[in-house]
Amino acid sequence: MMHLKWKGLLSLLVVGLLAIPMIVTAQDYIDRDDGGRGPIEVTNDWRNEVQITMWTNRRERIGGSWTLDSGDVAFLAVGSSRIKVRPNYKIKVGNDWGWVDVGDIGQFQDGVWYVNVRDVWRATHRDRAGGRDDDRPYREDVPDYLR
């Protein structure tokens, strides 16, 4: 009888030890997604048309790309469905340079991510060397009230 009791306790201990890595991994995933998941609204606060591309945290491209005219505000969608993004999804403006995490430049309010094109551009071009581009949104030689 005592042998069966030890066998049962040992079985519980083994199951508990096997469950610990799964619990820790799940908690780590939840912590990384701390900023929320929701649709993304992008504001083109540049003077020019822009092209937006996005990727998941696993670097899977979402849709093709979206083109926004100057002053446009739009929810990004694939087909007729708005995409839902996480803070670690990547967003990019234009065809050159890198991308930035939505959570680094966006604001998450009431279940929606709000992103300005200018903030994406600045985050992906802050260490850029060289001269000016004519189509860049921020020009230091133009007064702030005209930008």
Side-chain angles (χ1 to χ4, degrees):
M1 190 75 153
M2 190 65 140
H3 178 56
L4 288 175
K5 200 175 208 180
W6 278 106
K7 191 174 183 180
L9 287 174
L10 186 59
S11 296
L12 284 174
L13 180 64
V14 168
V15 169
L17 288 173
L18 290 174
I20 288 173
M22 291 185 288
I23 292 168
V24 169
T25 302
Q27 184 63 44
D28 183 45
Y29 179 78
I30 291 167
D31 289 344
R32 281 185 281 138
D33 191 29
D34 212 18
R37 178 176 180 260
I40 183 168
E41 181 182 277
V42 179
T43 300
N44 182 0
D45 52 351
W46 286 16
R47 289 193 230 173
N48 300 325
E49 173 184 277
V50 295
Q51 181 180 10
I52 306 290
T53 49
M54 292 205 63
W55 292 264
T56 68
N57 57 323
R58 295 185 179 136
R59 303 232 162 85
E60 300 163 327
R61 190 164 177 164
I62 300 172
S65 64
W66 296 268
T67 302
L68 298 177
D69 290 328
S70 179
D72 278 358
V73 178
F75 281 96
L76 302 185
V78 174
S80 61
S81 300
R82 290 180 180 174
I83 64 170
K84 292 182 180 172
V85 301
R86 300 181 187 279
N88 55 357
Y89 279 24
K90 315 296 183 210
I91 187 167
K92 179 178 179 177
V93 172
N95 294 320
D96 61 341
W97 288 86
W99 52 39
V100 64
D101 286 356
V102 169
D104 290 343
I105 48 88
Q107 299 294 316
F108 189 68
Q109 296 175 345
D110 299 323
V112 177
W113 282 101
Y114 295 95
V115 172
N116 292 322
V117 167
R118 199 177 292 236
D119 294 334
V120 175
W121 180 272
R122 284 181 182 150
T124 57
H125 289 72
R126 80 173 49 119
D127 296 326
R128 186 173 181 173
R132 291 196 165 104
D133 283 340
D134 289 336
D135 57 271
R136 72 187 241 189
Y138 177 73
R139 294 187 41 197
E140 292 168 2
D141 59 335
V142 175
D144 188 60
Y145 61 89
L146 293 177
R147 286 187 224 147

